[in-house]
Amino acid sequence: MDTASMGAHADVRTAPRALATEAVHAGRDDLARQGLHAPPIDLSTTYPSYDSRGEAARIDAFAATGTEPDGPPVYGRLGNPTVARFETALARLEGTEAAVAFASGMAALSAVLLVRASMGLRHVVAVRPLYGCSDHLLTAGLLGSEVTWTDPAGIAEALRPDTGLVIVESPANPTLAEVDLRAVAHACGSVPLLVDNTFATPVLQRPAEQGARLVLHSATKYLGGHGDVLAGVLACDEEFAGRLRQVRFATGGVLHPLAGYLLLRGLSTLPVRVRAASANAAELARRLAADPRVAHVHYPRIGGAMVSFEIHGDPHEVIAGVRLITPAVSLGSVDTLIQHPASISHRIVDADDRRGAGVSDRLLRMSVGLEDVEDLWSDLDQALKRPDRGAGNCATSRNEPAPAV
């Protein structure tokens, strides 16, 4: 039984390590001592215990604070050794005390809202655009939350006594708009700031270093990196992590051990994948910006593997015309994906709100993968076809950070 890794920080490092080194070794430092090279997968749902008094004490401690039980595991809904390895590694990469993994990114966000609501703090301040389902969860009040939408400069004014959370996504889905995270964190005061860091990953930015208390990832994307795992994770301080574990236990939004294993494996190549895909994306953004068939290109100042662009023609024809690039939702895989946000990822957002956040009906979002950039450009070029007659010169931009508040 792989009990040595059950604690989120069982393999405490002895000296600072570079991100690339942490990506390879975090969550695995105890393996050699166990005579192992690859991390084991613990598929147990329950664990035997002949010390029922001790087990009761561990469960009581968990119920009180959400602290991970000392000693042998108890039950799969309280925690799993394989998943704990991934949580340890992700916390190291984000520079936080802890991380708590969930069955999906939406399960992770739901857990945060439930934690704050349990404290009577149901009001949320949020900046658009966000991922479409995050927007819908807040707007529909499905978990009893009430949301005030604002721009970064209006965050401080939007706060109320019952505000439990401020949410931003930077770079944002799908416009890749960026915000000044340090300024936003300052505007939040004592209210926790949650930053969705899915697009940037800890390779490009670490929001906790800029004042965020919670860092959210749809781990389905870059952290897994191969389009074969569904997961979410929150990096945060240990106090908040304890509350998140309690919600995870109560609601059952647990991550399967096999998914935890795949995510840990994915982290080991995260820096290499993100940097290589980012180089491809930057080159495609440059070529798209010079193409008369393209009206506007969005590419973040911090870089990354995501490119969004608006075209003069019909975006649906581009989706139908790609052959190498995969027309599909999601992002962050080793292969390149393209989708039309107004039809899919942000379809659930009210049309006026969607357009007001910069998600136009001609916007395409592309997650650039690891293929040869010439092959990718050849496919885009033939899918864009000939420029519309009378189309003007394209506008180009890198997204500017929002003004400091």
Side-chain angles (χ1 to χ4, degrees):
M1 185 191 306
D2 178 31
T3 57
S5 66
M6 192 59 207
H9 301 283
D11 54 340
V12 178
R13 61 185 177 183
T14 57
R17 302 192 298 205
L19 182 81
T21 303
E22 290 285 30
V24 172
H25 289 280
R28 305 169 179 83
D29 288 325
D30 64 317
L31 292 179
R33 295 192 300 273
Q34 297 189 56
L36 300 171
H37 183 237
I41 305 175
D42 188 330
L43 295 173
S44 297
T45 57
T46 191
Y47 299 86
S49 172
Y50 295 96
D51 180 11
S52 57
R53 291 186 181 89
E55 189 168 66
R58 295 200 303 276
I59 293 173
D60 285 347
F62 178 86
T65 65
T67 301
E68 291 182 305
D70 291 328
V74 177
Y75 183 59
R77 198 146 43 83
L78 274 80
N80 171 272
T82 307
V83 173
R85 288 185 179 279
F86 163 65
E87 292 172 331
T88 295
L90 194 276
R92 294 276 183 81
L93 293 181
E94 284 290 2
T96 59
E97 292 179 341
V100 184
F102 292 84
S104 70
M106 291 308 301
L109 178 57
S110 296
V112 176
L113 296 175
L114 289 172
V115 165
R116 302 306 280 168
S118 71
M119 303 171 69
L121 302 170
R122 297 182 177 274
H123 180 242
V124 177
V125 174
V127 175
R128 279 190 173 117
L130 293 176
Y131 169 53
C133 288
S134 299
D135 189 309
H136 175 67
L137 180 66
L138 295 171
T139 303
L142 296 176
L143 297 178
S145 59
E146 177 189 351
V147 62
T148 297
W149 295 100
T150 185
D151 58 28
I155 287 174
E157 185 178 349
L159 299 178
R160 304 187 328 205
D162 63 337
T163 302
L165 196 67
V166 175
I167 301 178
V168 301
E169 183 175 5
S170 182
N173 187 351
T175 65
L176 306 180
E178 297 170 275
V179 300
D180 184 333
L181 296 180
R182 196 174 299 279
V184 167
H186 178 74
C188 292
S190 61
V191 177
L193 170 64
L194 182 152
V195 175
D196 188 330
N197 202 33
T198 299
F199 278 18
T201 81
V203 177
L204 300 179
Q205 73 180 11
R206 306 213 302 181
E209 294 178 347
Q210 300 179 61
R213 187 175 181 187
L214 297 150
V215 182
L216 172 68
H217 287 272
S218 172
T220 307
K221 279 68 173 185
Y222 288 104
L223 303 190
H226 294 76
D228 55 7
V229 61
L230 192 69
V233 65
L234 284 150
C236 58
D237 57 83
E238 178 57 35
E239 179 186 0
F240 209 107
R243 293 183 176 273
L244 289 170
R245 293 185 197 110
Q246 289 175 319
V247 169
R248 182 177 64 181
F249 173 74
T251 61
V254 296
L255 184 66
H256 192 275
L258 180 57
Y261 172 85
L262 291 172
L263 288 167
L264 184 64
R265 187 174 69 169
L267 288 185
S268 64
T269 60
L270 178 66
V272 176
R273 286 187 288 104
V274 169
R275 288 166 183 152
S278 297
N280 277 350
E283 175 60 19
L284 291 178
R286 184 189 68 80
R287 296 188 189 190
L288 287 166
D291 196 305
R293 298 166 294 186
V294 178
H296 200 89
V297 176
H298 306 268
Y299 188 66
R301 290 206 314 171
I302 65 169
M306 300 297 299
V307 180
S308 292
F309 57 100
E310 299 164 55
I311 66 170
H312 292 294
D314 185 351
H316 299 284
E317 291 186 3
V318 176
I319 296 294
V322 292
R323 294 295 177 265
L324 174 67
I325 297 168
T326 303
V329 297
S330 199
L331 55 109
S333 187
V334 292
D335 60 321
T336 300
L337 310 178
I338 193 169
Q339 65 115 336
H340 182 239
S343 295
I344 305 179
S345 64
H346 288 70
R347 187 69 177 180
I348 201 167
V349 180
D350 177 81
D352 289 338
D353 291 336
R354 187 171 67 231
R355 295 180 186 116
V359 186
S360 78
D361 291 341
R362 291 183 181 270
L363 182 73
L364 291 165
R365 189 194 75 187
M366 186 165 58
S367 169
V368 181
L370 303 180
E371 302 95 338
D372 187 278
V373 71
E374 296 299 336
D375 290 331
L376 292 173
W377 177 249
S378 177
D379 194 39
L380 271 179
D381 182 50
Q382 64 83 26
L384 284 165
K385 300 178 181 176
R386 291 183 298 178
D388 290 348
R389 183 173 298 175
N393 293 331
C394 66
T396 64
S397 77
R398 276 182 176 263
N399 290 322
E400 296 295 329
V405 291

